[in-house]
Amino acid sequence: MNNVTKFKIQKPANEVFEAFVDPAKIGNFWFSSSSERWEEGKIITVRYEEYNAQLDIEVLQIETNKKIVYRWGANGEGHIVTITLKEVAHSSTIIEIVEEGFNVEDENFVAQVLDNKEGWVFMLSCLKGYLEFDVSKLRGGLVKD
């Protein structure tokens, strides 16, 4: 089972790509911090200050301005996330995020997929606010009880 989320951002693909891979920019819409620039083969430590959470992700593939693939989860297990950027008309980018690795046999499967989808939609909304309107204070607004 894959979870697919798509969004359109009114910025060229290179600006959207840099927002994800540049640690100076990612804190404006997604994680509180990123340990370094995202590059293929690196293990990146990301942090959510609001939730007192930290995790490592393994960057599996980078295609500049087109694709980012990473794995998150313990001991190389977990989910694979593919972020694809498709520039349209040199001023807009369609972002598609596909997360795979959900266990349909898990009794909490539906809740996990819904929680996951909520997170992606929120993050992409924050990205849109940041890149299109220079709003960088949205990212900490999602409440998880």
Side-chain angles (χ1 to χ4, degrees), residues 22-60:
D22 184 342
K25 294 179 180 178
I26 202 166
N28 290 305
F29 72 96
W30 193 2
F31 300 106
S32 306
S33 63
S34 175
S35 62
E36 59 186 296
R37 184 173 178 83
W38 294 30
E39 294 176 358
E40 194 167 308
K42 285 190 174 182
I43 304 292
I44 307 294
T45 301
V46 292
R47 181 151 179 78
Y48 281 114
E49 294 295 332
E50 297 80 9
Y51 312 119
N52 194 29
Q54 177 175 302
L55 65 132
D56 290 335
I57 63 167
E58 177 186 5
V59 181
L60 302 173

Side-chain angles (χ1 to χ4, degrees), residues 38-44 57-63 67-72 76 79-82 100:
W38 294 30
E39 294 176 358
E40 194 167 308
K42 285 190 174 182
I43 304 292
I44 307 294
I57 63 167
E58 177 186 5
V59 181
L60 302 173
Q61 182 182 3
I62 293 276
E63 288 181 43
K67 185 187 281 189
I68 301 165
V69 181
Y70 69 90
R71 177 189 350 258
W72 69 270
H79 295 189
I80 303 288
V81 175
T82 301
E100 53 190 298

Side-chain angles (χ1 to χ4, degrees), residues 1-15:
M1 167 71 187
N2 296 339
N3 196 345
V4 179
T5 307
K6 286 186 178 185
F7 241 71
K8 184 176 186 181
I9 304 290
Q10 300 294 331
K11 289 292 180 178
N14 67 309
E15 289 185 41

Side-chain angles (χ1 to χ4, degrees), residues 113-135:
V113 171
L114 289 174
D115 183 62
N116 184 267
K117 176 65 94 175
E118 174 186 51
W120 287 124
V121 170
F122 183 72
M123 181 274 285
L124 289 172
S125 297
C126 292
L127 175 64
K128 187 172 188 70
Y130 169 59
L131 290 179
E132 291 183 16
F133 305 103
D134 201 28
V135 176

